[in-house]
């Protein structure tokens, strides 16, 4: 680590997380954070400045999430509900397809049990990819509030999974089994947020390149 | 007169900070002024959320400065209190004074 505080950049992950929630017209928030980070790093040390930066970033994200939802509650809710319905519809399809295929080619699967196990593993990947696609669609629908909408949807999905987990445990499921089920359920909400982050990052990149073209035609 | 004519606690603090800072008021200075004066750590997100709300109500106005390299090429957003904002802060101050008049708050909480 360099001893020159001016050369030390702020935590990249924190900056990236804040930038996901900041609209292009609100970029001064990132500038303010950077300015204070540099001042604090030169005055009190880089370690303290980094801690301060993380704390400020997380608090700022919480505020931006709240104000983002409050600015357009109905359209954001509509995107979330649409994403929820779409997710429920899409998540059921691969199971139906797999059941149809296994029923039709039962002899094949009986002879190639390993292949069947691989298909089951592929289902996990499919669950993740489908959830990510739903996240992308929700983010595309909620322009400017991509992260707010996808995070709300993921919180709803997670909120539904938690009581279901306790029901499963209460129904004498083995703790390990229930834990794996919970991890599988958590992968979905996580993938939804990833989908939102992908759309948001691409939109920000497009907006900044457009801004450069306008400034330097 | 409705309840909306009065400023909320944090709105009140922010407007007073803007009045103190005059033409130097932007995110960093407003946040630092509040921390320095009332010893309360506030996030830059909270400051901007409140400033945006005040701007929507017409109590403050903002304009952008030039982008600077030390801010990663990002511009400062300066804020100033409008005449409507000054009226609102005066009204809130008067309401608070009226409500606290006769109460010996300082003696009760040494």
């Amino acid at each position: 680590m360099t001893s020159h505080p001016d050369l030390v950049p702020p935590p990249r992950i924190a900056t990236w997380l804040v930038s996901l929630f900041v609209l292009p017209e609100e970029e001064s928030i990132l500038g303010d954070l950077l300015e204070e980070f540099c001042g604090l790093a030169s005055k009190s040390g880089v370690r303290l400045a980094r801690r301060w930066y993380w704390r400020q970033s997380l608090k700022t994200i919480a505020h931006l999430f709240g104000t983002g939802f409050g600015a357009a509650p109905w359209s954001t809710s509509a995107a979330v509900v649409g994403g929820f319905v779409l997710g429920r519809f899409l998540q059921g399809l691969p199971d139906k397809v797999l059941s149809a295929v296994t029923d039709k080619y039962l002899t094949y699967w009986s002879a190639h049990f390993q292949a069947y196990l691989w298909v089951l593993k592929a289902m996990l990947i499919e669950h993740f990819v489908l959830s990510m696609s739903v996240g992308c669609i929700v983010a595309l629908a909620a322009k400017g509030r991509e992260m707010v909408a996808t995070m709300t949807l993921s919180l709803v999905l997670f909120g539904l999974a938690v009581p279901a987990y306790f029901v499963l445990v209460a129904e004498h499921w083995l703790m390990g089994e229930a834990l794996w089920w919970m991890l599988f359920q958590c992968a979905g909400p996580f993938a939804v947020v990833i989908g939102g982050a992908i759309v948001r990052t691409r939109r920000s990149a497009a907006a900044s390149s457009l801004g450069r073209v306008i400034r330097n035609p | 007169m409705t309840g909306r004519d009065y400023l909320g606690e944090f709105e009140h603090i922010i407007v007073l900070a803007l009045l103190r800072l005059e033409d130097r008021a932007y995110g960093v200075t407003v946040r630092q002024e509040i921390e320095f004066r009332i010893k309360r750590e506030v996030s830059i997100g909270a400051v901007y959320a409140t400033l945006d709300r005040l701007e929507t109500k017409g109590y403050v106005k903002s304009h952008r400065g030039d982008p600077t390299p030390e801010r990663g090429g990002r511009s400062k957003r300066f804020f100033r209190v409008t005449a409507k904002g000054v009226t609102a802060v005066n009204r809130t101050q008067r309401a608070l004074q009226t409500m606290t008049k006769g109460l010996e708050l300082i003696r009760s909480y040494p």
Side-chain angles (χ1 to χ4, degrees):
Chain A
M1 193 179 285
T2 175
S3 58
H4 301 288
D6 288 351
L7 300 176
V8 178
R12 282 184 187 179
I13 295 173
T15 306
W16 177 69
L17 287 173
V18 176
S19 70
L20 289 177
F21 288 84
V22 168
L23 296 172
E25 60 268 24
E26 297 169 337
E27 59 161 25
S28 43
I29 292 179
L30 287 165
D32 287 348
L33 280 171
L34 179 63
E35 187 184 326
E36 278 211 78
F37 171 81
C38 291
L40 201 62
S42 60
K43 202 169 71 181
S44 312
V46 174
R47 187 176 286 188
L48 193 132
R50 281 180 186 275
R51 267 211 307 271
W52 175 88
Y53 194 90
W54 266 109
R55 202 168 56 244
Q56 279 288 323
S57 298
L58 294 176
K59 282 182 179 177
T60 298
I61 286 169
H63 276 284
L64 291 173
F65 180 82
T67 50
F69 194 89
W74 293 111
S75 59
T76 309
S77 301
V80 170
V81 170
F84 182 81
V85 172
L86 183 69
R88 291 286 124 170
F89 172 70
L90 289 178
Q91 295 293 352
L93 284 181
D95 281 338
K96 283 177 189 164
V97 171
L98 184 68
S99 301
V101 170
T102 47
D103 287 352
K104 195 170 181 184
Y105 303 103
L106 196 59
T107 333
Y108 174 82
W109 294 116
S110 309
H112 300 89
F113 189 66
Q114 282 297 323
Y116 181 71
L117 290 179
W118 276 106
V119 169
L120 286 181
K121 282 179 186 169
M123 293 286 284
L124 288 172
I125 299 167
E126 162 275 321
H127 173 64
F128 194 84
V129 172
L130 268 185
S131 299
M132 202 161 74
S133 309
V134 169
C136 288
I137 292 165
V138 169
L140 286 169
K143 195 178 179 185
R145 297 173 312 283
E146 295 88 352
M147 294 311 294
V148 174
T150 50
M151 272 187 72
T152 307
L153 178 58
S154 72
L155 286 172
V156 169
L157 294 173
F158 186 72
L160 290 172
V162 171
Y165 169 77
F166 287 111
V167 168
L168 289 177
V169 172
E171 282 178 353
H172 311 298
W173 267 40
L174 290 173
M175 203 67 169
E177 270 182 358
L179 206 63
W180 275 114
W181 179 88
M182 189 62 188
L183 282 175
F184 182 76
Q185 294 301 316
C186 287
F190 181 66
V192 166
V193 175
I194 299 239
I198 290 169
V199 172
R200 179 77 205 125
T201 308
R202 289 197 63 83
R203 272 187 176 152
S204 297
S208 54
S209 64
L210 183 70
R212 273 199 298 276
V213 169
I214 290 168
R215 278 195 294 271
N216 310 305
Chain B
M1 189 183 286
T2 66
R4 286 176 191 276
D5 296 313
Y6 295 102
L7 297 172
E9 184 219 10
F10 198 55
E11 288 176 341
H12 195 177
I13 291 169
I14 292 255
V15 173
L16 293 174
L18 294 184
L19 290 170
R20 282 183 176 279
L21 290 162
E22 296 176 344
D23 57 348
R24 293 176 293 113
Y26 68 102
V28 173
T29 53
V30 172
R31 207 192 70 76
Q32 288 178 345
E33 181 74 11
I34 294 167
E35 262 189 20
F36 173 72
R37 297 267 171 201
I38 60 171
K39 311 284 181 269
R40 169 175 157 184
E41 189 181 336
V42 290
S43 77
I44 200 80
V47 170
Y48 271 96
T50 309
L51 283 168
D52 284 338
R53 197 165 57 243
L54 288 168
E55 191 166 31
T56 308
K57 289 177 183 175
Y59 296 157
V60 304
K61 268 190 171 178
S62 71
H63 71 276
R64 290 189 185 281
D66 293 326
T68 54
E70 59 268 22
R71 291 171 54 87
R74 297 176 185 101
S75 56
K76 288 177 185 173
R77 189 173 161 201
F78 290 97
F79 294 88
R80 67 174 180 80
V81 184
T82 60
K84 193 179 171 188
V86 174
T87 310
V89 80
N90 280 331
R91 191 184 299 124
T92 309
Q93 289 278 97
R94 271 200 304 274
L96 287 173
Q97 279 167 4
T98 307
M99 291 305 292
T100 49
K101 200 174 178 182
L103 296 173
E104 296 188 5
L105 293 172
I106 295 168
R107 217 176 286 173
S108 304
Y109 300 99

